[in-house]
Amino acid sequence: MYTDCEALILKQVKTLNGRRMIVLFTEKYGKISAGTSISEKGKNKSALALRPFTYGRYELYKNKDNFNINGAETIDSFFSLGEDVDKYMAASYALELTDVLVPEDQPAPGMLNLIHEFLALLEKRKTNYDTLLVAFMLKTLTLVGTEPNLSSCQKCGKTEGLTYFSVPDGGLNCKACGSSDQGPNPLIFEVSDGIINVMRYIKAHPLRSLDGLALPKESEMLLKQILKCYYSYHLGIENLKSEGLRI
């Protein structure tokens, strides 16, 4: 069966006899793996469209459960991300996180739109790349149904005096509920009103409207640490290959 679809290239792996396995995040089928014999060294439109950080249109042949890419053309190219080390590392982390989160053969249009939008915004951004990455990570949690509660204390329900973010509890705690007589807990973070308001603001606005948001480095670092622990605790995601590059 021949078909075509739009997709984002998540990664590629070299196999035998000059073939490659391409992981595509498609609009029609979700995440799929497809083999191809198209040379990566060529400068034709198909070769260029098979590189990571590319959103394109792909001609596929499906034989039972296997896909093969017969042709491709680029719709959006984000190759310039590779010209800036910090942008490249942020983009690589976001792609790998997406690859781990998205199951095979299940369409996830919201996630595809988010990662596509993230790459476009990151390419144009001049500074504070980690602010955009934090926003992407937090919004991704909403899409996978594991978003933290930022409105009230997870234990007593109070809406005022929220001073802790508890990873195990999945959200904010008040001072009384968040403090522990057993000493510091690496999964409980003391947070300011500023940090809480930033997280709420990110959750309440589409990613494209956050293009002008730029957090202080200390805030970026704290939020990345919180989200990294959150992903590990609630989704079992840690030690990504790109993690050593970025977080």
Side-chain angles (χ1 to χ4, degrees):
M1 178 185 72
Y2 290 92
T3 185
D4 69 321
C5 64
E6 293 186 6
L8 178 72
I9 301 294
L10 294 180
K11 66 180 179 181
Q12 58 174 270
V13 179
K14 293 182 179 179
T15 58
L16 299 175
N17 301 320
R19 284 181 61 79
R20 286 173 293 157
M21 188 63 68
I22 311 295
V23 179
L24 305 98
F25 190 3
T26 76
E27 185 177 47
K28 187 180 297 185
Y29 303 106
K31 187 177 74 173
I32 61 173
S33 296
T36 186
S37 296
I38 299 172
S39 173
E40 64 180 324
K41 297 180 181 179
K43 294 185 179 180
N44 58 70
K45 66 178 184 179
S46 292
L48 294 174
L50 294 177
R51 298 177 181 178
F53 307 139
T54 303
Y55 185 86
R57 183 173 291 105
Y58 301 88
E59 299 172 9
L60 305 174
Y61 175 72
K62 185 178 182 183
N63 180 14
K64 293 184 179 180
D65 295 327
N66 299 316
F67 287 93
N68 189 79
I69 301 174
N70 292 338
E73 61 177 321
T74 300
I75 296 175
D76 289 324
S77 168
F78 305 111
F79 298 156
S80 65
L81 291 170
E83 299 172 0
D84 184 296
V85 174
D86 289 331
K87 283 187 178 182
Y88 174 79
M89 292 189 297
S92 296
Y93 185 87
L95 279 190
E96 186 177 5
L97 183 62
T98 300
D99 185 26
V100 172
L101 282 171
V102 176
E104 295 274 356
D105 305 319
Q106 295 183 25
M111 191 66 194
L112 178 58
N113 290 338
L114 183 65
I115 183 63
H116 188 184
E117 190 171 50
F118 170 79
L119 294 175
L121 293 172
L122 181 64
E123 185 178 48
K124 295 185 297 183
R125 200 172 178 88
K126 302 299 183 182
T127 186
N128 290 90
Y129 310 139
D130 283 347
T131 295
L132 191 62
L133 181 58
V134 163
F136 171 80
M137 294 174 70
L138 186 56
K139 288 194 164 296
T140 296
L141 289 174
T142 299
L143 288 176
V144 299
T146 322
E147 62 179 335
N149 176 21
L150 301 176
S151 60
S152 60
C153 177
Q154 288 290 82
K155 292 186 175 180
C156 71
K158 288 182 180 179
T159 58
E160 297 181 354
L162 304 173
T163 56
Y164 292 95
F165 185 97
S166 171
V167 171
D169 291 333
L172 299 174
N173 281 337
C174 66
K175 185 174 182 179
C177 295
S179 59
S180 172
D181 296 332
Q182 300 176 357
N185 186 328
L187 295 179
I188 297 178
F189 299 84
E190 189 169 358
V191 290
S192 65
D193 288 340
I195 290 292
I196 294 173
N197 289 335
V198 164
M199 296 179 76
R200 289 172 175 170
Y201 185 84
I202 290 173
K203 284 186 61 178
H205 292 79
L207 192 65
R208 62 183 176 274
S209 71
L210 304 177
D211 192 38
L213 182 64
L215 301 176
K217 287 299 178 183
E218 296 78 6
S219 298
E220 287 180 344
M221 291 176 61
L222 176 58
L223 285 171
K224 284 193 298 181
Q225 186 180 5
I226 290 173
L227 289 170
K228 178 183 173 182
C229 290
Y230 198 94
Y231 271 90
S232 176
Y233 188 91
H234 291 281
L235 295 169
I237 296 176
E238 56 185 345
N239 299 324
L240 299 182
K241 292 180 180 180
S242 57
E243 190 173 342
L245 297 176
R246 192 70 217 154
I247 295 184

mmCIF file of all heavy atoms in Angstrom, residues 139-175:
data_model
loop_
_atom_site.group_PDB
_atom_site.id
_atom_site.type_symbol
_atom_site.label_atom_id
_atom_site.label_comp_id
_atom_site.label_asym_id
_atom_site.label_seq_id
_atom_site.Cartn_x
_atom_site.Cartn_y
_atom_site.Cartn_z
ATOM 1 N N LYS A 139 4.543 22.023 29.347
ATOM 2 C CA LYS A 139 3.365 21.831 28.510
ATOM 3 C C LYS A 139 3.230 20.376 28.057
ATOM 4 O O LYS A 139 2.116 19.877 27.871
ATOM 5 C CB LYS A 139 3.413 22.774 27.308
ATOM 6 C CG LYS A 139 3.150 24.207 27.700
ATOM 7 C CD LYS A 139 2.863 25.075 26.514
ATOM 8 C CE LYS A 139 2.222 26.376 26.958
ATOM 9 N NZ LYS A 139 0.905 26.172 27.589
ATOM 10 N N THR A 140 4.338 19.704 27.882
ATOM 11 C CA THR A 140 4.302 18.294 27.509
ATOM 12 C C THR A 140 3.634 17.462 28.593
ATOM 13 O O THR A 140 2.888 16.522 28.301
ATOM 14 C CB THR A 140 5.728 17.783 27.242
ATOM 15 O OG1 THR A 140 6.272 18.473 26.106
ATOM 16 C CG2 THR A 140 5.730 16.298 26.951
ATOM 17 N N LEU A 141 3.871 17.800 29.848
ATOM 18 C CA LEU A 141 3.243 17.071 30.952
ATOM 19 C C LEU A 141 1.718 17.173 30.885
ATOM 20 O O LEU A 141 1.011 16.214 31.202
ATOM 21 C CB LEU A 141 3.748 17.609 32.296
ATOM 22 C CG LEU A 141 5.195 17.285 32.646
ATOM 23 C CD1 LEU A 141 5.599 18.015 33.931
ATOM 24 C CD2 LEU A 141 5.397 15.783 32.814
ATOM 25 N N THR A 142 1.219 18.326 30.462
ATOM 26 C CA THR A 142 -0.227 18.480 30.313
ATOM 27 C C THR A 142 -0.753 17.555 29.218
ATOM 28 O O THR A 142 -1.787 16.895 29.376
ATOM 29 C CB THR A 142 -0.573 19.937 29.966
ATOM 30 O OG1 THR A 142 -0.133 20.786 31.040
ATOM 31 C CG2 THR A 142 -2.069 20.117 29.777
ATOM 32 N N LEU A 143 -0.035 17.457 28.109
ATOM 33 C CA LEU A 143 -0.481 16.633 26.991
ATOM 34 C C LEU A 143 -0.489 15.148 27.325
ATOM 35 O O LEU A 143 -1.325 14.399 26.815
ATOM 36 C CB LEU A 143 0.416 16.877 25.772
ATOM 37 C CG LEU A 143 0.243 18.230 25.079
ATOM 38 C CD1 LEU A 143 1.249 18.383 23.947
ATOM 39 C CD2 LEU A 143 -1.167 18.393 24.542
ATOM 40 N N VAL A 144 0.417 14.710 28.185
ATOM 41 C CA VAL A 144 0.468 13.281 28.526
ATOM 42 C C VAL A 144 -0.354 12.968 29.775
ATOM 43 O O VAL A 144 -0.361 11.832 30.252
ATOM 44 C CB VAL A 144 1.921 12.788 28.711
ATOM 45 C CG1 VAL A 144 2.714 12.968 27.430
ATOM 46 C CG2 VAL A 144 2.619 13.484 29.882
ATOM 47 N N GLY A 145 -1.048 13.987 30.317
ATOM 48 C CA GLY A 145 -1.944 13.762 31.444
ATOM 49 C C GLY A 145 -1.280 13.610 32.787
ATOM 50 O O GLY A 145 -1.818 12.976 33.697
ATOM 51 N N THR A 146 -0.105 14.212 32.950
ATOM 52 C CA THR A 146 0.630 14.095 34.216
ATOM 53 C C THR A 146 1.031 15.469 34.723
ATOM 54 O O THR A 146 2.068 15.627 35.354
ATOM 55 C CB THR A 146 1.893 13.221 34.034
ATOM 56 O OG1 THR A 146 1.623 12.148 33.147
ATOM 57 C CG2 THR A 146 2.342 12.623 35.372
ATOM 58 N N GLU A 147 0.225 16.466 34.441
ATOM 59 C CA GLU A 147 0.590 17.828 34.832
ATOM 60 C C GLU A 147 0.494 18.023 36.340
ATOM 61 O O GLU A 147 -0.360 17.442 37.006
ATOM 62 C CB GLU A 147 -0.308 18.831 34.126
ATOM 63 C CG GLU A 147 -1.784 18.708 34.474
ATOM 64 C CD GLU A 147 -2.623 19.741 33.759
ATOM 65 O OE1 GLU A 147 -2.078 20.796 33.392
ATOM 66 O OE2 GLU A 147 -3.820 19.496 33.571
ATOM 67 N N PRO A 148 1.379 18.834 36.902
ATOM 68 C CA PRO A 148 1.323 19.105 38.338
ATOM 69 C C PRO A 148 0.179 20.043 38.687
ATOM 70 O O PRO A 148 -0.253 20.854 37.863
ATOM 71 C CB PRO A 148 2.688 19.764 38.611
ATOM 72 C CG PRO A 148 3.066 20.393 37.314
ATOM 73 C CD PRO A 148 2.530 19.486 36.242
ATOM 74 N N ASN A 149 -0.308 19.925 39.905
ATOM 75 C CA ASN A 149 -1.337 20.833 40.410
ATOM 76 C C ASN A 149 -0.663 22.089 40.957
ATOM 77 O O ASN A 149 0.148 22.011 41.879
ATOM 78 C CB ASN A 149 -2.145 20.139 41.510
ATOM 79 C CG ASN A 149 -3.167 21.074 42.137
ATOM 80 O OD1 ASN A 149 -3.545 22.072 41.550
ATOM 81 N ND2 ASN A 149 -3.608 20.741 43.339
ATOM 82 N N LEU A 150 -1.010 23.226 40.396
ATOM 83 C CA LEU A 150 -0.399 24.490 40.804
ATOM 84 C C LEU A 150 -1.403 25.440 41.444
ATOM 85 O O LEU A 150 -1.125 26.617 41.611
ATOM 86 C CB LEU A 150 0.239 25.173 39.580
ATOM 87 C CG LEU A 150 1.313 24.374 38.847
ATOM 88 C CD1 LEU A 150 1.773 25.126 37.606
ATOM 89 C CD2 LEU A 150 2.497 24.074 39.765
ATOM 90 N N SER A 151 -2.582 24.929 41.816
ATOM 91 C CA SER A 151 -3.632 25.811 42.331
ATOM 92 C C SER A 151 -3.812 25.743 43.841
ATOM 93 O O SER A 151 -4.267 26.711 44.455
ATOM 94 C CB SER A 151 -4.964 25.483 41.653
ATOM 95 O OG SER A 151 -5.335 24.138 41.900
ATOM 96 N N SER A 152 -3.457 24.616 44.441
ATOM 97 C CA SER A 152 -3.702 24.463 45.879
ATOM 98 C C SER A 152 -2.763 23.424 46.465
ATOM 99 O O SER A 152 -2.099 22.675 45.747
ATOM 100 C CB SER A 152 -5.151 24.033 46.131
ATOM 101 O OG SER A 152 -5.422 22.789 45.488
ATOM 102 N N CYS A 153 -2.724 23.394 47.805
ATOM 103 C CA CYS A 153 -1.878 22.424 48.496
ATOM 104 C C CYS A 153 -2.404 21.016 48.223
ATOM 105 O O CYS A 153 -3.600 20.746 48.374
ATOM 106 C CB CYS A 153 -1.877 22.698 49.998
ATOM 107 S SG CYS A 153 -0.927 21.489 50.974
ATOM 108 N N GLN A 154 -1.526 20.137 47.849
ATOM 109 C CA GLN A 154 -1.909 18.773 47.519
ATOM 110 C C GLN A 154 -2.383 17.979 48.734
ATOM 111 O O GLN A 154 -3.071 16.969 48.584
ATOM 112 C CB GLN A 154 -0.732 18.040 46.863
ATOM 113 C CG GLN A 154 -0.420 18.481 45.443
ATOM 114 C CD GLN A 154 -1.491 18.061 44.461
ATOM 115 O OE1 GLN A 154 -2.517 18.716 44.331
ATOM 116 N NE2 GLN A 154 -1.290 16.940 43.786
ATOM 117 N N LYS A 155 -2.030 18.422 49.916
ATOM 118 C CA LYS A 155 -2.385 17.665 51.121
ATOM 119 C C LYS A 155 -3.593 18.237 51.858
ATOM 120 O O LYS A 155 -4.470 17.488 52.292
ATOM 121 C CB LYS A 155 -1.179 17.593 52.054
ATOM 122 C CG LYS A 155 -0.039 16.740 51.496
ATOM 123 C CD LYS A 155 1.079 16.578 52.510
ATOM 124 C CE LYS A 155 2.164 15.626 51.995
ATOM 125 N NZ LYS A 155 3.269 15.458 52.960
ATOM 126 N N CYS A 156 -3.652 19.565 52.016
ATOM 127 C CA CYS A 156 -4.743 20.130 52.811
ATOM 128 C C CYS A 156 -5.713 20.980 52.003
ATOM 129 O O CYS A 156 -6.761 21.359 52.503
ATOM 130 C CB CYS A 156 -4.183 20.953 53.975
ATOM 131 S SG CYS A 156 -3.403 22.512 53.469
ATOM 132 N N GLY A 157 -5.342 21.301 50.756
ATOM 133 C CA GLY A 157 -6.240 22.056 49.896
ATOM 134 C C GLY A 157 -6.154 23.559 50.005
ATOM 135 O O GLY A 157 -6.878 24.272 49.298
ATOM 136 N N LYS A 158 -5.299 24.091 50.861
ATOM 137 C CA LYS A 158 -5.167 25.540 50.990
ATOM 138 C C LYS A 158 -4.688 26.154 49.680
ATOM 139 O O LYS A 158 -3.895 25.565 48.954
ATOM 140 C CB LYS A 158 -4.169 25.883 52.101
ATOM 141 C CG LYS A 158 -4.673 25.608 53.508
ATOM 142 C CD LYS A 158 -3.615 26.023 54.539
ATOM 143 C CE LYS A 158 -4.091 25.754 55.969
ATOM 144 N NZ LYS A 158 -3.055 26.128 56.964
ATOM 145 N N THR A 159 -5.154 27.361 49.395
ATOM 146 C CA THR A 159 -4.752 28.059 48.176
ATOM 147 C C THR A 159 -3.786 29.209 48.460
ATOM 148 O O THR A 159 -3.308 29.851 47.522
ATOM 149 C CB THR A 159 -5.986 28.611 47.449
ATOM 150 O OG1 THR A 159 -6.701 29.486 48.334
ATOM 151 C CG2 THR A 159 -6.898 27.479 47.000
ATOM 152 N N GLU A 160 -3.491 29.447 49.731
ATOM 153 C CA GLU A 160 -2.568 30.514 50.107
ATOM 154 C C GLU A 160 -1.404 29.922 50.888
ATOM 155 O O GLU A 160 -1.482 28.824 51.434
ATOM 156 C CB GLU A 160 -3.286 31.572 50.948
ATOM 157 C CG GLU A 160 -4.419 32.275 50.189
ATOM 158 C CD GLU A 160 -5.091 33.331 51.046
ATOM 159 O OE1 GLU A 160 -4.748 33.425 52.247
ATOM 160 O OE2 GLU A 160 -5.955 34.053 50.519
ATOM 161 N N GLY A 161 -0.314 30.675 50.921
ATOM 162 C CA GLY A 161 0.852 30.228 51.673
ATOM 163 C C GLY A 161 1.542 29.028 51.045
ATOM 164 O O GLY A 161 2.142 28.207 51.761
ATOM 165 N N LEU A 162 1.476 28.892 49.745
ATOM 166 C CA LEU A 162 2.107 27.773 49.043
ATOM 167 C C LEU A 162 3.592 28.073 48.863
ATOM 168 O O LEU A 162 3.971 29.016 48.162
ATOM 169 C CB LEU A 162 1.428 27.547 47.688
ATOM 170 C CG LEU A 162 -0.093 27.321 47.759
ATOM 171 C CD1 LEU A 162 -0.684 27.276 46.359
ATOM 172 C CD2 LEU A 162 -0.412 26.041 48.511
ATOM 173 N N THR A 163 4.431 27.280 49.477
ATOM 174 C CA THR A 163 5.865 27.575 49.471
ATOM 175 C C THR A 163 6.738 26.396 49.041
ATOM 176 O O THR A 163 7.952 26.528 48.977
ATOM 177 C CB THR A 163 6.331 28.017 50.873
ATOM 178 O OG1 THR A 163 5.991 26.995 51.829
ATOM 179 C CG2 THR A 163 5.669 29.322 51.270
ATOM 180 N N TYR A 164 6.127 25.255 48.757
ATOM 181 C CA TYR A 164 6.907 24.075 48.363
ATOM 182 C C TYR A 164 6.309 23.434 47.106
ATOM 183 O O TYR A 164 5.089 23.433 46.916
ATOM 184 C CB TYR A 164 6.929 23.026 49.481
ATOM 185 C CG TYR A 164 7.703 23.441 50.709
ATOM 186 C CD1 TYR A 164 7.052 24.011 51.802
ATOM 187 C CD2 TYR A 164 9.085 23.271 50.778
ATOM 188 C CE1 TYR A 164 7.762 24.392 52.937
ATOM 189 C CE2 TYR A 164 9.793 23.654 51.911
ATOM 190 C CZ TYR A 164 9.129 24.211 52.979
ATOM 191 O OH TYR A 164 9.829 24.586 54.097
ATOM 192 N N PHE A 165 7.188 22.861 46.299
ATOM 193 C CA PHE A 165 6.754 22.001 45.200
ATOM 194 C C PHE A 165 7.199 20.588 45.552
ATOM 195 O O PHE A 165 8.394 20.313 45.660
ATOM 196 C CB PHE A 165 7.364 22.427 43.864
ATOM 197 C CG PHE A 165 6.835 21.631 42.691
ATOM 198 C CD1 PHE A 165 5.814 22.129 41.916
ATOM 199 C CD2 PHE A 165 7.342 20.375 42.396
ATOM 200 C CE1 PHE A 165 5.310 21.396 40.845
ATOM 201 C CE2 PHE A 165 6.845 19.630 41.339
ATOM 202 C CZ PHE A 165 5.823 20.142 40.558
ATOM 203 N N SER A 166 6.221 19.703 45.738
ATOM 204 C CA SER A 166 6.505 18.318 46.092
ATOM 205 C C SER A 166 6.365 17.428 44.867
ATOM 206 O O SER A 166 5.262 17.272 44.328
ATOM 207 C CB SER A 166 5.551 17.842 47.197
ATOM 208 O OG SER A 166 5.689 16.443 47.408
ATOM 209 N N VAL A 167 7.463 16.843 44.426
ATOM 210 C CA VAL A 167 7.424 15.929 43.285
ATOM 211 C C VAL A 167 6.566 14.701 43.597
ATOM 212 O O VAL A 167 5.690 14.333 42.803
ATOM 213 C CB VAL A 167 8.843 15.527 42.859
ATOM 214 C CG1 VAL A 167 8.803 14.402 41.824
ATOM 215 C CG2 VAL A 167 9.592 16.738 42.302
ATOM 216 N N PRO A 168 6.754 14.029 44.751
ATOM 217 C CA PRO A 168 5.920 12.852 45.040
ATOM 218 C C PRO A 168 4.427 13.170 45.111
ATOM 219 O O PRO A 168 3.595 12.360 44.692
ATOM 220 C CB PRO A 168 6.447 12.375 46.398
ATOM 221 C CG PRO A 168 7.845 12.889 46.470
ATOM 222 C CD PRO A 168 7.798 14.216 45.773
ATOM 223 N N ASP A 169 4.075 14.352 45.636
ATOM 224 C CA ASP A 169 2.666 14.728 45.754
ATOM 225 C C ASP A 169 2.091 15.256 44.446
ATOM 226 O O ASP A 169 0.876 15.411 44.314
ATOM 227 C CB ASP A 169 2.488 15.778 46.855
ATOM 228 C CG ASP A 169 2.742 15.207 48.246
ATOM 229 O OD1 ASP A 169 2.553 13.998 48.421
ATOM 230 O OD2 ASP A 169 3.135 15.986 49.142
ATOM 231 N N GLY A 170 2.952 15.556 43.488
ATOM 232 C CA GLY A 170 2.478 16.015 42.186
ATOM 233 C C GLY A 170 2.031 17.448 42.140
ATOM 234 O O GLY A 170 1.127 17.798 41.376
ATOM 235 N N GLY A 171 2.647 18.320 42.953
ATOM 236 C CA GLY A 171 2.273 19.727 42.901
ATOM 237 C C GLY A 171 2.706 20.498 44.124
ATOM 238 O O GLY A 171 3.639 20.103 44.837
ATOM 239 N N LEU A 172 1.999 21.574 44.401
ATOM 240 C CA LEU A 172 2.376 22.495 45.466
ATOM 241 C C LEU A 172 1.886 22.037 46.835
ATOM 242 O O LEU A 172 0.866 21.353 46.956
ATOM 243 C CB LEU A 172 1.818 23.883 45.164
ATOM 244 C CG LEU A 172 2.315 24.544 43.878
ATOM 245 C CD1 LEU A 172 1.554 25.848 43.640
ATOM 246 C CD2 LEU A 172 3.817 24.806 43.942
ATOM 247 N N ASN A 173 2.623 22.445 47.853
ATOM 248 C CA ASN A 173 2.237 22.232 49.245
ATOM 249 C C ASN A 173 2.394 23.545 49.999
ATOM 250 O O ASN A 173 3.241 24.377 49.648
ATOM 251 C CB ASN A 173 3.106 21.169 49.918
ATOM 252 C CG ASN A 173 2.677 19.760 49.542
ATOM 253 O OD1 ASN A 173 1.540 19.526 49.152
ATOM 254 N ND2 ASN A 173 3.592 18.807 49.656
ATOM 255 N N CYS A 174 1.582 23.708 51.030
ATOM 256 C CA CYS A 174 1.739 24.878 51.890
ATOM 257 C C CYS A 174 2.939 24.653 52.815
ATOM 258 O O CYS A 174 3.520 23.570 52.853
ATOM 259 C CB CYS A 174 0.469 25.129 52.694
ATOM 260 S SG CYS A 174 0.099 23.833 53.912
ATOM 261 N N LYS A 175 3.271 25.672 53.583
ATOM 262 C CA LYS A 175 4.450 25.578 54.439
ATOM 263 C C LYS A 175 4.304 24.479 55.472
ATOM 264 O O LYS A 175 5.240 23.711 55.726
ATOM 265 C CB LYS A 175 4.696 26.925 55.133
ATOM 266 C CG LYS A 175 5.968 26.955 55.952
ATOM 267 C CD LYS A 175 6.242 28.349 56.495
ATOM 268 C CE LYS A 175 7.547 28.379 57.279
ATOM 269 N NZ LYS A 175 7.832 29.746 57.803
#
